[in-house]
DNA sequence: CGACCGATTGACT
DNA sequence: GTCAATCGGTCGG
C-alpha cells in the first residue's frame, strides 16, 4: 500500500487551449471525456507519464493534473521506483525533496503508467480518500506550468509552504 | 507520409 | 540560465 497526499494540482477544461481535450475527442484523450472519477494517464516527451483525475460529466473533457504529492506511506518503495533521483534538490537557496515533486516524478514513484489509464478511482486499485479540509489562506494559486498557450489562466493550486510542491 | 512538438526531467555551462 | 533525450499524437501535403 502506497499513500500520498496531493499537494499541487492544475485544472484543464475543454474550452482551454492548453488542454488535451481542446481539439475534441481522440484515441489518446478519450478517458478525459469519460465520467468524472476516472484516472487519465498520458505519455509525453517520449518518456514520461502524467496522471489526471477526470472531474466533469461524461463528454465534458475536464480533468485535474496531479503535479505533486507528499509521500505518507511506502516512501521507501517510491524511492526505489524512481530511477535517477537525488533525495533532495536545490530550490533557490533551500533544498527540497526530489521524489514526487513533479507530475512525471509522482507517476514513476507510484508506478502509474499506460496500464493505469482509465482506472475507476472508486475501485480498489487506486483511489482517493478524504484529507482534513484546508482553509483558503492555506491554498495558493498561480498560472500553470510548462505551456505555450493558456499561460495566463491561474488554474494551478498548491498548499502554501508545503515542501513537496514542485516549485 | 513526413515534420513538428509536447500539461517533463535531469545534466550541464 | 541552456539543452538533449525520445516517441506517439496530430496535422498538413
Amino acid at each position: 500500500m502506497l499513500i500520498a497526499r496531493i499537494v499541487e494540482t492544475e485544472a484543464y477544461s475543454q474550452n482551454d487551449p492548453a488542454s488535451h481535450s481542446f481539439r475534441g475527442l481522440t484515441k489518446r484523450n478519450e478517458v478525459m471525456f469519460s465520467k468524472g472519477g476516472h484516472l487519465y494517464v498520458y505519455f509525453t516527451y517520449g518518456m514520461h507519464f502524467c496522471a489526471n483525475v477526470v472531474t466533469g460529466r461524461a463528454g465534458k473533457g475536464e480533468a485535474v493534473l496531479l503535479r505533486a504529492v507528499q509521500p505518507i506511506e511506502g516512501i521507501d518503495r517510491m524511492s526505489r521506483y524512481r530511477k535517477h533521483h537525488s533525495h533532495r534538490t536545490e530550490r533557490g537557496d533551500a533544498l527540497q525533496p526530489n521524489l514526487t515533486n513533479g507530475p512525471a516524478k509522482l507517476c514513476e514513484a507510484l508506478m502509474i503508467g499506460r496500464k493505469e489509464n482509465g482506472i475507476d478511482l472508486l475501485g480498489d486499485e487506486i483511489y482517493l480518500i478524504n484529507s482534513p479540509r484546508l482553509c483558503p489562506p492555506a491554498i495558493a494559486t498561480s498560472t500553470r506550468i510548462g505551456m505555450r498557450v493558456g499561460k495566463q489562466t491561474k488554474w494551478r493550486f498548491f498548499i502554501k509552504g508545503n515542501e513537496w510542491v514542485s516549485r
Side-chain angles (χ1 to χ4, degrees):
Chain A
M1 171 91 71
L2 300 176
I3 304 177
R5 177 192 190 199
I6 298 168
V7 298
E8 176 181 345
T9 62
E10 283 177 0
Y12 292 87
S13 73
Q14 195 176 5
N15 64 345
D16 165 12
S19 174
H20 291 172
S21 58
F22 183 63
R23 293 172 196 285
L25 179 70
T26 66
K27 185 93 174 184
R28 177 206 201 189
N29 65 19
E30 62 180 354
V31 173
M32 204 170 164
F33 285 90
S34 67
K35 192 171 74 170
H38 290 257
L39 192 70
Y40 166 49
V41 180
Y42 67 89
F43 181 65
T44 190
Y45 291 105
M47 64 192 88
H48 296 305
F49 292 96
C50 297
N52 301 248
V53 175
V54 178
T55 52
R57 293 177 176 276
K60 291 290 282 185
E62 293 178 358
V64 167
L65 171 70
L66 306 181
R67 276 205 58 92
V69 301
Q70 171 179 0
I72 302 295
E73 184 180 311
I75 187 169
D76 51 332
R77 278 174 59 207
M78 296 183 201
S79 193
R80 255 178 282 135
Y81 300 149
R82 286 272 283 120
K83 297 176 176 56
H84 306 103
H85 82 282
S86 48
H87 181 53
R88 286 174 176 262
T89 186
E90 291 280 345
R91 175 175 55 185
D93 287 337
L95 291 171
Q96 75 167 328
N98 189 34
L99 184 57
T100 55
N101 62 337
K105 296 180 189 179
L106 72 89
C107 281
E108 200 172 280
L110 299 177
M111 291 212 304
I112 294 174
R114 225 178 288 278
K115 293 189 308 297
E116 284 66 40
N117 187 36
I119 279 184
D120 181 354
L121 293 171
L122 295 180
D124 60 6
E125 190 174 3
I126 302 177
Y127 53 91
L128 302 172
I129 59 177
N130 283 333
S131 185
R133 187 181 180 84
L134 294 173
C135 297
I139 313 263
T141 67
S142 78
T143 56
R144 296 172 296 182
I145 293 172
M147 46 210 38
R148 303 162 75 97
V149 292
K151 314 169 97 75
Q152 75 293 347
T153 313
K154 292 190 171 177
W155 278 356
R156 172 173 175 251
F157 304 88
F158 58 99
I159 298 175
K160 213 176 290 182
N162 186 287
E163 67 170 345
W164 297 91
V165 162
S166 69
R167 61 180 89 152

